[in-house]
Amino acid sequence: MAIKKGDKIKADYEGRFDDKSGEIFDTSTHGDHSHPIEFEVGVGQVIPGFDSAVLGKNIGDEVEITIKPEDAYGERKEELEQKIPKSALPKGQEPKPEMILVLNAPNGQQIPVKIKSVDSEFITIDINHPLAGKTLYFKIKILEIN
């Protein structure tokens, strides 16, 4: 049975930067443990390139794909780098470059942001997704179709 939009599937995957020889950024198999991804195809639960790669596949199929930024986490946007006053942080928290903070959006959603730089008064944060602007390579194996 070929996968179609609306099917719920389970798949193992390995995500690398750029090509087969790149650094692994995520995987569903950690040593002896497997935690397959489960999602409904075609409804935006995963990045568009991953979603479209599984369409038409069957249980047991393996696919290797390259996903450009526009079909992954988008291009980096410089306007998503912002300065905030150090005083906006909770007391006792010493910000450092590369540290990840979690900000609360007005709608209550929590957004992870990366600290790019720190000076005496301000912190420059980057709200871009950490994988924005990157070409990604995935190996995907279809395990179940429901």
Side-chain angles (χ1 to χ4, degrees), residues 5-145:
K5 183 177 178 178
D7 285 343
K8 292 185 174 130
I9 71 164
K10 278 188 184 180
D12 272 332
Y13 68 92
E14 179 180 87
R16 294 180 177 266
F17 291 119
D18 296 321
D19 62 21
K20 295 176 188 177
S21 63
E23 170 191 349
I24 295 174
F25 65 84
D26 195 12
T27 180
S28 64
T29 56
H30 303 279
D32 294 335
H33 304 292
S34 178
H35 300 286
I37 188 171
E38 296 181 51
F39 65 99
E40 185 175 342
V41 177
V43 298
Q45 293 179 342
V46 295
I47 59 175
F50 198 102
D51 224 356
S52 63
V54 301
L55 287 171
K57 303 299 183 267
N58 294 289
I59 293 174
D61 285 355
E62 294 185 32
V63 61
E64 296 182 18
I65 58 166
T66 300
I67 304 175
K68 300 288 184 197
E70 59 270 18
D71 289 323
Y73 295 94
E75 296 293 345
R76 286 192 47 74
K77 297 176 182 165
E78 295 305 316
E79 64 270 19
L80 292 180
E81 287 185 16
Q82 299 176 359
K83 281 190 172 195
I84 60 171
K86 272 176 115 170
S87 61
L89 290 181
K91 298 279 187 237
Q93 188 169 20
E94 186 57 40
K96 294 179 175 43
E98 303 298 313
M99 182 185 273
I100 302 294
L101 297 176
V102 177
L103 300 181
N104 291 317
N107 66 1
Q109 181 181 5
Q110 293 189 323
I111 303 168
V113 299
K114 184 176 177 179
I115 297 177
K116 291 207 53 164
S117 64
V118 178
D119 65 27
S120 61
E121 292 183 50
F122 292 96
I123 303 165
T124 302
I125 59 171
D126 185 355
I127 304 172
N128 283 291
H129 187 284
L131 298 178
K134 298 190 182 293
T135 297
L136 308 175
Y137 168 83
F138 281 95
K139 283 165 88 170
I140 303 168
K141 181 175 183 179
I142 308 303
L143 303 175
E144 290 180 23
I145 305 170

